[in-house]
Amino acid sequence: MDLTRTRVPLTLLVLLVLYDSAIEVERFALVYLPDSEWLNRGAYLRCHTGDGPQFTANKPAADSCPCGTTKRHKEILCVFMAGIETKTIIFCDCRSDVETLLHHHLFPSSPSQPRVGFHLKLLEFYSVLRVKGHVACQAFGNTYASVRNYKDPDQLRKSLANAFFVYREMLAIIQTRLTTKYESLVPKFPCPVCPEDQKTVTLDGNFQLRRRKANDNDMKKPIPREFFLADNVQDKFEWITSKSTASNTNPDEKNLCKSVYKAAELTYTSQNYSKFHERGVVGCLCVHNIPLAFTNIYESGEKYKYALAILDIL
């Protein structure tokens, strides 16, 4: 496929990868994504050729399949930025229902027998809103249903939650595949302005980006993606103690890594934080505000090891 003719929101894909809660998404995506034929056939990228999905859309994009297989007519509840309406969609046996809906710029709420389809621009809008405003699916679904006078907000909320997390995982997979395929075009250092021999960066933690434990035994860590490779080297700096004694500490003693900042003890003193596994994110940006790397905070406050792990991989 000629990517120069597509209009995939790559900036959005990067942002979604940065804030991806991999374990949570994995539970929803197991049915959809493993070896999915529609994903391998590039259905999402193909629907972005030409003008692609539009925020002003109020009906499914035109699509017709010339195959001679049996056609099926099914009513789909289509949720657009501009409104919500039930439309009749023609499906055929030469491709999955998921792929057919993607050709209509709709993302299904179920991998089989979908009854609800969310317009791609609506999911794109909610993706940004979730990152910027921390708006939950329930709040967004209820608000949308209220504004559009939809009588079953609970169904809309559940359908949105099912579709949204798989949508984000799909974008992450596509981003990874594009990065791998066109690796030679990706700069080794994300910022094209920073000099290679000397870089100035800033780091900070965010305790709003956290993941609730599924149960008391939920200790599985997500698999690091491109921007979270520092997760792999956190243990390398676990031995470092507080700032006042770091220089006198023997690395073999393996003491707990602590910080002189109050944020380090925040998660130990608050019972609310005991419900979370990833309790926050430490991020690193260059002086030009280009994201460089991130690492998850696991059941602790801010510690030196998180910052050192990021610096170690830069």
Side-chain angles (χ1 to χ4, degrees):
M1 179 181 296
D2 183 5
L3 291 177
T4 61
R5 300 181 60 187
T6 66
R7 299 184 63 180
V8 183
L10 291 178
T11 302
L12 174 63
L13 299 187
V14 174
L15 287 174
L16 293 172
V17 173
L18 299 186
Y19 298 107
D20 185 27
S21 179
I23 295 177
E24 183 179 15
V25 172
E26 184 179 342
R27 296 193 182 101
F28 288 94
L30 283 176
V31 180
Y32 270 95
L33 297 175
D35 300 323
S36 297
E37 182 179 356
W38 62 268
L39 185 59
N40 294 331
R41 290 169 62 175
Y44 177 77
L45 289 176
R46 192 174 295 111
C47 76
H48 281 82
T49 56
D51 293 334
Q54 302 294 316
F55 279 107
T56 56
N58 57 6
K59 61 181 180 181
D63 176 65
S64 61
C65 182
C67 74
T69 59
T70 304
K71 307 296 182 181
R72 295 173 285 112
H73 293 73
K74 185 187 299 185
E75 290 191 343
I76 301 292
L77 181 67
C78 304
V79 186
F80 305 95
M81 288 287 294
I84 182 170
E85 189 174 351
T86 299
K87 298 286 187 179
T88 300
I89 305 293
I90 301 177
F91 297 88
C92 60
D93 295 334
C94 73
R95 60 189 183 187
S96 67
D97 291 356
V98 175
E99 186 173 353
T100 298
L101 288 178
L102 278 173
H103 280 279
H104 289 287
H105 299 172
L106 299 171
F107 197 88
S109 60
S110 171
S112 61
Q113 303 297 321
R115 297 293 181 184
V116 181
F118 293 90
H119 194 259
L120 294 175
K121 283 298 182 181
L122 177 71
L123 295 176
E124 180 182 332
F125 171 79
Y126 175 57
S127 298
V128 178
L129 180 65
R130 186 178 176 90
V131 171
K132 300 292 186 180
H134 308 290
V135 179
C137 283
Q138 180 176 2
F140 182 76
N142 289 340
T143 301
Y144 183 93
S146 177
V147 170
R148 298 301 178 189
N149 295 319
Y150 187 65
K151 297 181 179 180
D152 193 354
D154 195 50
Q155 179 211 15
L156 189 66
R157 172 185 60 81
K158 292 178 180 178
S159 298
L160 174 64
N162 289 338
F164 176 71
F165 291 110
V166 182
Y167 166 78
R168 292 207 310 171
E169 176 67 4
M170 177 194 70
L171 296 185
I173 292 174
I174 293 173
Q175 174 69 21
T176 301
R177 291 182 179 181
L178 288 175
T179 302
T180 302
K181 185 174 182 179
Y182 299 95
E183 186 176 3
S184 60
L185 302 178
V186 179
K188 295 182 179 180
F189 191 74
C191 180
V193 182
C194 288
E196 295 184 2
D197 57 339
Q198 185 176 4
K199 303 176 181 68
T200 302
V201 299
T202 180
L203 300 98
D204 197 7
N206 187 332
F207 285 98
Q208 300 301 315
L209 299 170
R210 52 184 182 263
R211 181 183 69 84
R212 186 181 295 272
K213 292 180 180 179
N215 51 59
D216 292 339
N217 297 323
D218 182 9
M219 301 299 293
K220 181 180 178 182
K221 293 184 178 181
I223 300 174
R225 300 183 185 275
E226 292 99 321
F227 285 88
F228 282 81
L229 296 179
D231 286 5
N232 293 325
V233 296
Q234 286 183 7
D235 293 342
K236 180 178 178 181
F237 303 98
E238 186 70 33
W239 61 272
I240 298 180
T241 59
S242 64
K243 183 177 180 181
S244 59
T245 60
S247 60
N248 299 323
T249 303
N250 186 345
D252 296 332
E253 293 179 0
K254 301 294 183 182
N255 294 322
L256 277 178
C257 166
K258 296 182 180 180
S259 170
V260 295
Y261 299 105
K262 291 183 179 180
E265 304 301 327
L266 176 63
T267 55
Y268 292 119
T269 58
S270 175
Q271 293 183 353
N272 292 332
Y273 277 87
S274 63
K275 303 175 183 178
F276 301 97
H277 187 213
E278 290 89 50
R279 299 182 179 180
V281 171
V282 174
C284 176
L285 290 79
C286 72
V287 293
H288 306 104
N289 287 330
I290 301 297
L292 304 180
F294 294 80
T295 189
N296 287 298
I297 298 175
Y298 294 109
E299 298 191 326
S300 70
E302 291 180 342
K303 293 182 176 181
Y304 288 122
K305 69 174 183 179
Y306 299 121
L308 294 173
I310 289 178
L311 294 177
D312 186 67
I313 67 168
L314 291 180

